[in-house]
Amino acid sequence: MLSKYFLEPCLEFLKTHKFRTIALQFPDDKLEDASEISETIENISKAQVYVLADTSYGNCCVDEVAASHVDADLIIHFGYSCLSKPAKSKKDLDCGNLKECVSALGGDKNYLIIFDPCFAYVQDSIMETFQDKSNIRVSRIPFYLDPEITVNPDGRVYKPIENDYSILYVGSKDLHQLSIMSIHCHSQFYILEGKQFVEQSIYNNSMLRKRFHL
């Protein structure tokens, strides 16, 4: 078991650091090993150990949201990792600049604003910025699972959009952005670059062309 999960370096690290609460995150298909590993880590660390289940995002992403529910000061992630930045890797966002960039697009088209998880800490401010715009929807990243709330395929919460709409993406050009773009492949897609939104096309990206057999 130790060699399977590369636990020895992990245990050595725990021996030289003091943590109060540790959260363990496993892929869904490895949860059967969680009990034995958590007991081993608890004996070595003398900390309170929790196993995270029903992760907020994919198995490959560090689920700091679930870990925050137990006030964990350490997360140990097992299995494949996409190495995406946790939401606590905050980036600055000027909501005033964002509003100006959206206004510069002009017209009364319907827009859906989707932002990278690193901006989740200001999502309330983003929603407040556009609350008086009936043609603009702002998506929300849920911090907990609620059976009464419908989470869309892109992992966001927003009211259904009946008419044609364009995506305004706030974030970096990376795999996360490509994933969002592939989900909303039938909509115009813009990404915020500095002081303006720039239109993107699946035809200009080799990965998306391959995915859609273009």
Side-chain angles (χ1 to χ4, degrees):
M1 182 70 72
L2 292 180
S3 59
K4 178 181 177 181
Y5 285 94
F6 203 60
L7 272 183
E8 290 183 355
C10 179
L11 297 178
E12 288 300 317
F13 173 79
L14 293 174
K15 290 177 182 177
T16 57
H17 295 76
K18 300 297 182 182
F19 297 100
R20 296 175 295 102
T21 309
I22 299 173
L24 307 182
Q25 182 179 343
F26 293 84
D28 292 341
D29 60 342
K30 301 298 182 184
L31 281 172
E32 60 187 22
D33 298 328
S35 178
E36 183 177 348
I37 292 178
S38 63
E39 183 177 355
T40 300
I41 289 178
E42 196 164 49
N43 290 337
I44 293 294
S45 66
K46 307 303 180 184
Q48 181 70 50
V49 177
Y50 293 88
V51 176
L52 306 181
D54 294 327
T55 55
S56 303
Y57 306 105
N59 288 329
C60 59
C61 300
V62 176
D63 194 354
E64 60 183 311
V65 175
S68 68
H69 294 165
V70 295
D71 196 25
D73 47 9
L74 175 68
I75 305 174
I76 302 177
H77 179 280
F78 295 97
Y80 169 75
S81 173
C82 61
L83 301 180
S84 60
K85 293 182 179 180
K88 287 186 178 178
S89 298
K90 298 178 180 178
K91 292 184 179 179
D92 294 331
L93 180 65
D94 184 341
C95 290
N97 174 64
L98 176 60
K99 187 174 184 178
E100 291 178 2
C101 292
V102 174
S103 298
L105 292 172
D108 56 356
K109 292 181 60 176
N110 294 317
Y111 295 110
L112 172 62
I113 297 177
I114 297 179
F115 46 85
D116 186 278
C118 66
F119 297 116
Y121 74 103
V122 290
Q123 62 182 358
D124 288 338
S125 297
I126 298 174
M127 297 189 75
E128 184 177 342
T129 299
F130 296 98
Q131 63 182 354
D132 60 337
K133 302 293 184 180
S134 60
N135 64 316
I136 298 176
R137 299 276 176 84
V138 179
S139 65
R140 173 179 287 275
I141 296 177
F143 287 145
Y144 59 91
L145 296 178
D146 186 334
E148 297 185 1
I149 296 178
T150 300
V151 179
N152 293 284
D154 55 17
R156 270 70 173 177
V157 175
Y158 46 85
K159 295 179 180 179
I161 304 174
E162 297 179 356
N163 301 318
D164 291 339
Y165 63 94
S166 297
I167 298 296
L168 303 181
Y169 183 77
V170 182
S172 304
K173 289 184 177 180
D174 52 21
L175 291 177
H176 183 268
Q177 174 254 323
L178 291 179
S179 174
I180 298 296
M181 194 172 179
S182 65
I183 292 171
H184 296 275
C185 60
H186 298 297
S187 301
Q188 280 186 296
F189 195 98
Y190 298 84
I191 186 170
L192 183 63
E193 296 185 3
K195 298 290 185 179
Q196 63 180 340
F197 277 100
V198 179
E199 186 172 2
Q200 308 293 306
S201 171
I202 60 175
Y203 297 100
N204 296 332
N205 186 279
S206 59
M207 291 180 63
L208 292 181
R209 288 203 310 271
K210 183 177 181 180
R211 178 167 184 172
F212 292 106
H213 306 287
L214 298 174

